[in-house]
Protein backbone atom coordinates (compact mmCIF):
# COMPACT_ATOMS: atom_id res chain seq x y z
CA UNK A 1 0.00 0.00 0.00
CA UNK A 2 2.81 2.44 0.92
CA UNK A 3 4.57 1.59 -2.33
CA UNK A 4 1.48 2.52 -4.38
CA UNK A 5 1.08 5.86 -2.53
CA UNK A 6 4.73 6.73 -3.10
CA UNK A 7 4.40 5.70 -6.73
CA UNK A 8 1.30 7.87 -7.22
CA UNK A 9 3.02 10.84 -5.57
CA UNK A 10 6.02 10.42 -7.86
CA UNK A 11 3.80 10.26 -10.96
CA UNK A 12 1.79 13.27 -9.78
CA UNK A 13 4.96 15.25 -9.04
CA UNK A 14 6.44 14.35 -12.44
CA UNK A 15 3.25 15.38 -14.23
CA UNK A 16 3.16 18.71 -12.39
CA UNK A 17 6.81 19.34 -13.15
CA UNK A 18 6.19 18.76 -16.85
CA UNK A 19 3.33 21.24 -16.80
CA UNK A 20 5.11 23.93 -14.76
CA UNK A 21 8.65 23.85 -16.15
CA UNK A 22 7.84 24.79 -19.75
CA UNK A 23 5.70 27.68 -18.50
CA UNK A 24 8.54 28.90 -16.30
CA UNK A 25 10.93 28.83 -19.26
CA UNK A 26 8.50 30.85 -21.39
CA UNK A 27 7.81 33.49 -18.75
CA UNK A 28 9.49 36.84 -19.43
CA UNK A 29 12.01 38.16 -16.90
CA UNK A 30 9.83 41.13 -16.05
CA UNK A 31 6.51 42.41 -17.30
CA UNK A 32 6.81 45.78 -19.05
CA UNK A 33 6.32 48.70 -16.68
CA UNK A 34 4.43 51.83 -17.68
CA UNK A 35 5.42 54.77 -15.49
CA UNK A 36 3.47 58.01 -15.50
CA UNK A 37 3.52 61.33 -13.62
CA UNK A 38 2.02 59.63 -10.55
CA UNK A 39 4.68 56.89 -10.31
CA UNK A 40 6.90 59.13 -8.14
CA UNK A 41 6.34 62.52 -6.56
CA UNK A 42 8.60 65.08 -5.00
CA UNK A 43 7.40 63.90 -1.57
CA UNK A 44 8.75 60.35 -2.10
CA UNK A 45 11.73 59.59 0.11
CA UNK A 46 15.06 59.97 -1.67
CA UNK A 47 13.77 62.02 -4.63
CA UNK A 48 15.33 65.29 -3.44
CA UNK A 49 18.73 63.54 -3.15
CA UNK A 50 18.93 62.77 -6.89
CA UNK A 51 20.90 64.83 -9.39
CA UNK A 52 20.95 64.92 -13.20
CA UNK A 53 22.64 61.86 -14.66
CA UNK A 54 22.16 59.70 -11.56
CA UNK A 55 20.43 56.33 -11.55
CA UNK A 56 18.05 55.04 -8.89
CA UNK A 57 15.74 52.22 -7.86
CA UNK A 58 11.98 52.01 -8.22
CA UNK A 59 10.20 52.93 -4.97
CA UNK A 60 10.26 50.27 -2.27
CA UNK A 61 9.75 50.16 1.48
CA UNK A 62 12.98 50.69 3.39
CA UNK A 63 13.03 49.08 6.83
CA UNK A 64 15.97 51.33 7.78
CA UNK A 65 14.18 54.55 6.80
CA UNK A 66 10.71 53.32 7.74
CA UNK A 67 9.12 54.61 4.55
CA UNK A 68 8.76 54.00 0.83
CA UNK A 69 11.81 55.48 -0.82
CA UNK A 70 13.99 55.49 -3.92
CA UNK A 71 17.71 54.92 -3.58
CA UNK A 72 20.62 56.21 -5.62
CA UNK A 73 22.16 53.25 -7.41
CA UNK A 74 25.20 53.35 -9.68
CA UNK A 75 23.92 52.63 -13.19
CA UNK A 76 26.48 49.81 -13.51
CA UNK A 77 24.99 48.02 -10.50
CA UNK A 78 21.59 47.60 -12.15
CA UNK A 79 19.19 50.52 -11.98
CA UNK A 80 15.54 51.09 -12.82
CA UNK A 81 15.63 54.80 -13.70
CA UNK A 82 18.00 57.60 -14.70
CA UNK A 83 17.51 61.34 -14.24
CA UNK A 84 18.26 63.11 -17.51
CA UNK A 85 17.32 66.63 -16.52
CA UNK A 86 15.41 69.16 -14.47
CA UNK A 87 13.16 71.97 -15.67
CA UNK A 88 11.63 74.77 -13.64
CA UNK A 89 7.89 75.21 -13.99
CA UNK A 90 6.50 78.71 -14.57
CA UNK A 91 5.53 80.79 -11.53
CA UNK A 92 1.92 80.81 -10.42
CA UNK A 93 -0.46 78.97 -8.21
CA UNK A 94 -0.23 75.20 -8.04
CA UNK A 95 -2.35 73.68 -10.81
CA UNK A 96 -1.57 70.00 -11.16
CA UNK A 97 -3.15 69.59 -14.61
CA UNK A 98 -1.25 72.57 -16.03
CA UNK A 99 1.97 71.43 -14.32
CA UNK A 100 1.61 67.89 -15.70
CA UNK A 101 1.04 69.19 -19.25
CA UNK A 102 4.14 71.43 -18.96
CA UNK A 103 6.20 68.55 -17.52
CA UNK A 104 5.26 66.01 -20.21
CA UNK A 105 5.89 68.48 -23.03
CA UNK A 106 9.21 69.71 -21.65
CA UNK A 107 10.54 66.28 -20.64
CA UNK A 108 9.54 64.90 -24.06
CA UNK A 109 11.62 67.60 -25.77
CA UNK A 110 14.64 66.59 -23.71
CA UNK A 111 13.97 62.89 -24.29
CA UNK A 112 13.80 63.24 -28.07
CA UNK A 113 16.96 65.38 -28.00
CA UNK A 114 18.95 62.70 -26.13
CA UNK A 115 17.33 59.72 -27.86
CA UNK A 116 16.12 60.71 -31.33
CA UNK A 117 14.23 58.23 -33.51
CA UNK A 118 15.45 54.64 -33.25
CA UNK A 119 17.66 55.44 -30.23
CA UNK A 120 14.48 55.60 -28.10
CA UNK A 121 13.25 52.18 -29.25
CA UNK A 122 13.72 50.38 -25.88
CA UNK A 123 13.29 53.43 -23.64
CA UNK A 124 10.56 55.61 -22.23
CA UNK A 125 10.35 58.59 -19.88
CA UNK A 126 8.21 60.16 -17.20
CA UNK A 127 8.23 63.40 -15.22
CA UNK A 128 8.38 63.65 -11.43
CA UNK A 129 6.20 66.57 -10.37
CA UNK A 130 6.20 68.81 -7.35
CA UNK A 131 3.17 68.29 -5.12
CA UNK A 132 0.95 71.01 -3.69
CA UNK A 133 2.89 70.70 -0.42
CA UNK A 134 6.36 70.99 -1.99
CA UNK A 135 5.15 73.78 -4.31
CA UNK A 136 4.06 75.76 -1.25
CA UNK A 137 7.69 75.58 -0.06
CA UNK A 138 9.00 76.91 -3.38
CA UNK A 139 9.65 73.64 -5.24
CA UNK A 140 8.97 74.29 -8.93
CA UNK A 141 11.40 71.72 -10.31
CA UNK A 142 10.23 68.90 -12.55
CA UNK A 143 12.61 65.95 -12.76
CA UNK A 144 12.75 64.14 -16.13
CA UNK A 145 13.49 60.42 -15.88
CA UNK A 146 14.33 57.78 -18.50
CA UNK A 147 13.80 54.06 -17.99
CA UNK A 148 13.65 50.77 -19.84
CA UNK A 149 10.06 49.42 -19.57
CA UNK A 150 11.27 45.83 -19.81
CA UNK A 151 13.65 45.99 -16.85
CA UNK A 152 16.88 47.17 -15.33
CA UNK A 153 19.88 48.51 -17.19
CA UNK A 154 23.54 48.16 -16.27
CA UNK A 155 25.07 51.25 -17.84
CA UNK A 156 24.09 54.88 -18.21
CA UNK A 157 21.21 55.39 -20.63
CA UNK A 158 22.51 58.84 -21.51
CA UNK A 159 24.25 58.95 -24.88
CA UNK A 160 27.86 60.08 -25.01
CA UNK A 161 28.15 63.52 -26.53
Amino acid sequence: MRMRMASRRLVTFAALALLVLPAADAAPGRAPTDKDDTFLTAEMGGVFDLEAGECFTDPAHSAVLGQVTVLYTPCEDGADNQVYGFVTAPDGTFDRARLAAFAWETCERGFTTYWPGEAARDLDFYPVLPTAATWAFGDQDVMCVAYRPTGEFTESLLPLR
Side-chain angles (χ1 to χ4, degrees), residues 16-95:
L16 284 174
L18 289 174
L19 291 173
V20 173
L21 289 177
D25 285 344
R30 179 169 152 178
T33 303
D34 185 27
K35 300 175 183 179
D36 63 13
D37 59 48
T38 62
F39 183 71
L40 293 178
T41 71
E43 290 185 55
M44 176 81 52
V47 167
F48 277 118
D49 297 330
L50 299 169
E51 296 181 17
E54 291 186 331
C55 295
F56 62 98
T57 63
D58 279 349
H61 186 269
S62 167
V64 172
L65 299 174
Q67 66 179 358
V68 174
T69 189
V70 298
L71 298 172
Y72 162 80
T73 302
C75 300
E76 306 78 41
D77 289 351
D80 299 304
N81 311 276
Q82 185 170 18
V83 180
Y84 64 90
F86 289 89
V87 292
T88 302
D91 288 334
T93 58
F94 181 80
D95 179 334

